[in-house]
Amino acid sequence: ARVGEQAVLHEMMREFGVQIFFFGHDHVFLDEVVDGIHYALPGSCGAPWKFGPEITGYRSYWSDSGHGRLTVRPDLATVEFVSQQGTVFHRFTVEPR
């Protein structure tokens, strides 16, 4: 969030009140909060993750396969990380500002 183009995007998200930034490509689940913004990587339905924190820089993540689920209501947004077996193993919510 603080390097190169990412730093520019991060500052824009702070300015405009973004609370969740979904991104993809890496085959893990990740929920890392920086300045109140959830950087959420909603999993992998495919290939297993084979890289450690020394390569990715991720401090903690879940390597399970599965998917992310987003539920939006007027008063609350809920993000759930769901395993292939259907178990919710991580959940977070945000309220409108």
Side-chain angles (χ1 to χ4, degrees), residues 69 78-83 85-92:
R69 178 169 48 215
T78 302
V79 176
E80 296 174 317
F81 293 166
V82 184
S83 72
Q85 293 74 32
T87 304
V88 175
F89 60 89
H90 180 68
R91 172 184 293 122
F92 67 89

Side-chain angles (χ1 to χ4, degrees), residues 9-72:
L9 289 173
H10 183 75
E11 285 308 309
M12 286 176 58
M13 290 189 295
R14 285 183 56 190
E15 178 183 345
F16 292 105
V18 171
Q19 296 181 65
I20 306 171
F21 176 74
F22 292 102
F23 64 105
H25 182 73
D26 295 341
H27 295 257
V28 295
F29 291 95
L30 174 73
D31 177 24
E32 194 168 299
V33 181
V34 180
D35 296 332
I37 301 168
H38 288 264
Y39 281 77
L41 180 54
S44 168
C45 291
W49 187 248
K50 295 182 172 51
F51 305 103
E54 69 283 354
I55 294 173
T56 66
Y58 297 152
R59 293 178 287 221
S60 65
Y61 58 87
W62 299 269
S63 58
D64 302 355
S65 290
H67 65 277
R69 178 169 48 215
L70 172 64
T71 305
V72 178

